[in-house]
Amino acid sequence: MIRRAGRYAWASPYTALGLAVGLVALATGGRVRRLDGVLEFSGGFAKWVVRRLPTGKNTAAFTLGHTVLGQTIDSLDFAHTHELVHVRQFERWGPLMGPAYLGASVWVWLRGGRAYRDNPFEVEAYRIAP
Ligand SMILES: [Zn+2]
């Protein structure tokens, strides 16, 4: 129980950002559900944000701490297992997750790889949930 609380606290800066986006999503026609200890928002402002990520307008979902932002409920269903891997990564890396993820993308890109698909955080997520 204490370990679980610690994981939520460690990831909480990103969860707070996800909740802020999620609250705006709810005020703009979006929905929320709780699944596997994660709040998943879809539609409204959440969809607007996800469609503007550097990964493109077909991106299904995006994880911030213990929140997931998705375009639709179907896209949340599609991406759920993959995004849960990212939730576990936020639990491990906490406040360092953003710099670590972006730094890994830059490092991979500088070495001639693909900034998104060759990023080790994505490699782990796609290995578990293709
Ligand atoms: Zn991913």
Side-chain angles (χ1 to χ4, degrees):
M1 187 67 188
I2 289 173
R3 289 179 65 114
R4 183 174 184 192
R7 289 195 299 268
Y8 276 80
W10 185 231
S12 66
Y14 295 102
T15 304
L17 185 60
L19 287 174
V21 173
L23 289 176
V24 178
L26 292 178
T28 53
R31 300 176 63 171
V32 64
R33 68 181 184 185
R34 185 169 57 97
L35 195 59
D36 297 325
V38 177
L39 287 177
E40 297 187 333
F41 296 91
S42 60
F45 185 58
K47 180 176 183 174
W48 189 91
V49 168
V50 171
R51 288 178 60 85
R52 280 153 185 84
L53 292 171
T55 45
K57 64 181 171 61
N58 292 325
T59 301
F62 178 68
T63 299
L64 284 169
H66 290 89
T67 66
V68 176
L69 310 173
Q71 291 206 33
T72 64
I73 290 177
D74 285 346
S75 60
L76 288 174
D77 287 341
F78 169 78
H80 183 71
T81 306
H82 179 98
E83 300 307 322
L84 273 186
V85 177
H86 290 313
V87 170
R88 301 287 95 83
Q89 292 169 344
F90 274 97
E91 290 178 344
R92 279 200 302 275
W93 286 82
L96 304 175
M97 179 66 183
Y101 185 100
L102 293 175
S105 280
V106 169
W107 175 252
V108 163
W109 180 76
L110 287 173
R111 295 168 56 95
R114 298 166 297 176
Y116 173 65
R117 282 303 292 257
D118 294 329
N119 180 315
F121 292 97
E122 293 302 336
V123 171
E124 180 188 24
Y126 279 104
R127 188 176 62 238
I128 294 168

XYZ file of all heavy atoms in Angstrom, residues 2 4 35-36 74 88:
54
model
N 1.903 1.262 0.869
C 2.788 2.419 0.909
C 3.598 2.497 -0.384
O 3.785 3.577 -0.936
C 3.706 2.360 2.153
C 2.870 2.622 3.407
C 4.850 3.364 2.052
C 3.611 2.443 4.708
N 2.660 1.458 -3.287
C 1.756 1.912 -4.338
C 1.561 3.430 -4.244
O 1.622 4.123 -5.253
C 0.415 1.191 -4.220
C -0.527 1.557 -5.323
C -1.790 0.737 -5.280
N -2.588 1.108 -6.450
C -3.844 0.767 -6.607
N -4.448 0.032 -5.699
N -4.510 1.149 -7.667
N -9.520 2.705 -15.161
C -9.219 1.336 -15.562
C -7.800 1.008 -15.115
O -6.857 1.760 -15.430
C -9.347 1.240 -17.096
C -9.413 -0.144 -17.736
C -10.594 -0.944 -17.209
C -9.527 0.007 -19.253
N -7.634 -0.080 -14.376
C -6.313 -0.528 -13.926
C -5.554 0.556 -13.177
O -4.336 0.716 -13.351
C -5.477 -1.023 -15.118
C -6.096 -2.245 -15.791
O -6.682 -3.075 -15.064
O -6.002 -2.368 -17.020
N -12.583 4.084 -28.308
C -12.010 2.993 -29.105
C -10.486 3.093 -29.155
O -9.794 2.074 -29.068
C -12.572 3.006 -30.531
C -13.992 2.479 -30.587
O -14.445 1.864 -29.600
O -14.655 2.692 -31.617
N 3.865 2.380 -16.160
C 4.909 1.757 -15.332
C 6.229 2.522 -15.477
O 6.990 2.666 -14.514
C 5.117 0.287 -15.729
C 3.889 -0.588 -15.610
C 3.506 -0.914 -14.167
N 2.501 -0.043 -13.582
C 1.183 -0.173 -13.744
N 0.674 -1.144 -14.468
N 0.350 0.678 -13.157
